[in-house]
Amino acid sequence: MSGDATKGAKIFKQRCAQCHTVEKGGSNKTGPNLNGLIGRKTGQASNFTYTEANKNKGITWGPDTLFTYLENPKKYIPGTKMVFAGLKKPQDRNDLIAYLTAATK
């Protein structure tokens, strides 16, 4: 299932932008700046204080790991401080991942 980055941008604005930025050099908010997310290990964004659970998860962010994580972040990384409940619809997750892949390069 492929994603639509335009629809993903709307999802990001509605569900993610209050806590995250995507642009290079963007500030950390409640959550870390997501620039360079794809290919980065969990808990590695600079100047952000992560939980031990997030730092120790040891996975690399990519479409597959994000797809699982975005469904239920607290189940995927027990102990994360991210309060987002998740995106239950697979197409919403694919759209958001398509946006994040393009917007965080």
Side-chain angles (χ1 to χ4, degrees):
M1 192 180 299
S2 62
D4 180 326
T6 301
K7 290 179 181 176
K10 290 177 185 171
I11 293 168
F12 184 86
K13 185 176 179 185
Q14 294 169 346
R15 307 287 300 275
C16 313
Q18 61 271 30
C19 295
H20 294 283
T21 58
V22 293
E23 63 276 353
K24 186 174 179 74
S27 62
N28 292 319
K29 294 181 172 183
T30 303
N33 171 271
L34 299 177
N35 193 266
L37 174 68
I38 306 300
R40 182 169 68 207
K41 288 201 177 292
T42 53
Q44 301 298 314
S46 61
N47 301 315
F48 187 78
T49 305
Y50 287 94
T51 61
E52 288 301 310
N54 206 300
K55 288 190 277 189
N56 295 331
K57 181 66 176 178
I59 59 105
T60 300
W61 293 122
D64 292 343
T65 52
L66 282 169
F67 187 83
T68 304
Y69 177 74
L70 290 169
E71 182 178 18
N72 188 338
K74 288 191 179 294
K75 181 178 178 185
Y76 192 68
I77 304 180
T80 185
K81 63 183 173 182
M82 186 158 134
V83 296
F84 181 60
L87 295 171
K88 301 307 174 214
K89 295 179 183 174
Q91 189 61 55
D92 286 350
R93 294 196 307 274
N94 282 317
D95 292 345
L96 180 57
I97 291 164
Y99 169 73
L100 289 172
T101 299
T104 63
K105 287 184 180 178

